[in-house]
Amino acid sequence: KLKRVCVDVICCCLEIVITLAMQPWVVAMALATLMCFTSTCYFFQIPEEIRKKESSQAASLGIWGPPDAEFNWCEEDYQLSEWIAEPVNTASCVAMILLPLLFLATHEATGDVVTIACMEVAIAIGSMLFHATLRYSMQLADEIPMIWYVAAVVCSCLKRLKGLNIHFWAYGWVAILSIVILATEQHSLLHEICRGLMTLSFSSGLVVIGWGISAMASRLAAREDKSRRAGKAAARVLQAALLMFALSVVCWLLDNYHCTRLRYLPGGIPYPHLHTWWHVFIAGTLHCIMVLLHMDSYRHSAHLDLRFLAGLPVVHA
């Protein structure tokens, strides 16, 4: 009996911790703290392990010439083909194309969610080009769709939760940054300032998104009618999103700061391609965001439910 009581107490404590951790203000604060580290790593102080390197070998093996992007990720360059600098990282981006297309094929999504899904596909295409070439122009093809995606999700969250229509200001700001970045030289002062502003805008937007999807899940969970089961399902989707995001960031940071160690693991263990897992986990996170937005769109439906098709959540309303 004592053993059972201890198990019950532990389970109760874990449930309280998980419930507290999913509160919108907790998620926002956690993301704000995390973004301080990731922004530093990505823009303000790039780890030496992944900083752009002059590689005559890469220049001779690849048709794209020596890498001139800000990053040369941990995967060895041009191991399979002269056309693709990082084949594994490039291939893993397919997950961010398939998942939004599958979502659109299985849901009658609202306009804002369709836009968000298309933005995710644009990110994936840009990321594939970046990893395939390691050229700075393709790095921008990866980065710029990201800030547009964040702007789209932020606008959707604020419109749904606070009734605020900031589309003109958000898209206008992102458009100005995009135009200036594309129109200026890579190492010019104005270019660097705008890339820094883009990094800060991206990080701030992620904090708003974390707050927004948590608030939407809480709003669904608070319902007392026939769709209470949908509220519990929304909470599970939120838990999955936060877990996958945490895992993706851990993989990204480990790959960035411990590249050499990961390449030469003891016992002949092969390089684990943690940047690839970053792509996979972040694709799952973005899919969960679309599911929560779609559930919120039909939150007034008494028939709202979440089912699974081949392991993927499908919203029924």
Side-chain angles (χ1 to χ4, degrees):
K1 290 184 179 179
L2 180 61
K3 188 175 182 180
R4 185 173 179 178
V5 170
C6 292
V7 171
D8 289 342
V9 170
I10 292 173
C11 291
C12 182
C13 291
L14 285 174
E15 185 176 352
I16 292 172
V17 170
I18 292 172
T19 302
L20 179 62
M22 292 194 303
Q23 294 300 309
W25 65 273
V26 175
V27 173
M29 289 181 62
L31 281 174
T33 303
L34 185 61
M35 288 304 103
C36 293
F37 292 100
T38 57
S39 298
T40 299
C41 174
Y42 192 83
F43 180 77
F44 296 101
Q45 191 174 359
I46 300 173
E48 192 62 35
E49 296 267 358
I50 61 167
R51 189 182 294 274
K52 177 178 67 177
K53 305 177 183 68
E54 298 297 332
S55 174
S56 58
Q57 182 183 16
S60 63
L61 293 177
I63 67 167
W64 308 112
D68 67 347
E70 297 292 328
F71 311 94
N72 191 336
W73 305 103
C74 195
E75 183 181 354
E76 294 281 1
D77 298 344
Y78 296 106
Q79 292 298 295
L80 296 180
S81 169
E82 64 177 2
W83 289 87
I84 305 176
E86 297 175 348
V88 179
N89 284 344
T90 302
S92 62
C93 296
V94 173
M96 288 186 284
I97 296 177
L98 293 180
L99 286 180
L101 293 181
L102 286 171
F103 178 87
L104 293 178
T106 53
H107 297 84
E108 294 183 6
T110 54
D112 58 339
V113 179
V114 172
T115 299
I116 289 166
C118 293
M119 292 287 186
E120 184 180 346
V121 173
I123 292 171
I125 294 172
S127 187
M128 292 178 76
L129 294 172
F130 176 29
H131 287 292
T133 65
L134 295 178
R135 303 297 296 176
Y136 185 68
S137 57
M138 296 301 102
Q139 178 183 326
L140 295 181
D142 180 23
E143 292 177 345
I144 290 176
M146 289 184 190
I147 190 65
W148 282 92
Y149 172 90
V150 167
V153 182
V154 166
C155 289
S156 180
C157 289
L158 292 179
K159 179 70 174 177
R160 292 162 181 267
L161 293 166
K162 298 296 183 181
L164 298 176
N165 190 343
I166 64 164
H167 291 72
F168 175 80
W169 301 105
Y171 288 140
W173 171 246
V174 171
I176 291 171
L177 290 178
S178 302
I179 292 170
V180 174
I181 288 171
L182 291 172
T184 52
E185 294 293 331
Q186 178 177 355
H187 297 295
S188 66
L189 178 60
L190 183 58
H191 185 90
E192 292 298 320
I193 289 173
C194 286
R195 274 202 71 230
L197 291 172
M198 182 174 68
T199 301
L200 294 175
S201 300
F202 177 85
S203 299
S204 302
L206 284 187
V207 174
V208 176
I209 291 171
W211 164 82
I213 63 169
S214 303
M216 282 185 277
S218 297
R219 182 161 68 177
L220 283 164
R223 296 191 61 174
E224 296 295 338
D225 56 14
K226 293 180 181 179
S227 63
R228 281 180 64 184
R229 189 170 68 175
K232 293 181 180 178
R236 291 196 296 271
V237 173
L238 177 62
Q239 290 173 9
L242 295 177
L243 176 60
M244 285 188 289
F245 183 75
L247 289 173
S248 70
V249 173
V250 169
C251 289
W252 189 75
L253 290 173
L254 286 175
D255 203 60
N256 292 350
Y257 283 101
H258 300 285
C259 176
T260 302
R261 294 177 183 174
L262 291 170
R263 282 180 178 176
Y264 303 101
L265 292 171
I269 299 174
Y271 168 60
H273 289 282
L274 293 184
H275 195 89
T276 291
W277 287 105
W278 146 260
H279 287 162
V280 173
F281 286 131
I282 208 67
T285 302
L286 300 185
H287 190 78
C288 289
I289 289 174
M290 287 190 295
V291 169
L292 287 170
L293 289 171
H294 192 70
M295 292 185 74
D296 185 75
S297 298
Y298 293 92
R299 66 185 181 277
H300 298 300
S301 172
H303 305 288
L304 183 63
D305 194 12
L306 188 70
R307 301 172 189 173
F308 290 86
L309 178 64
L312 292 176
V314 178
V315 180
H316 289 264

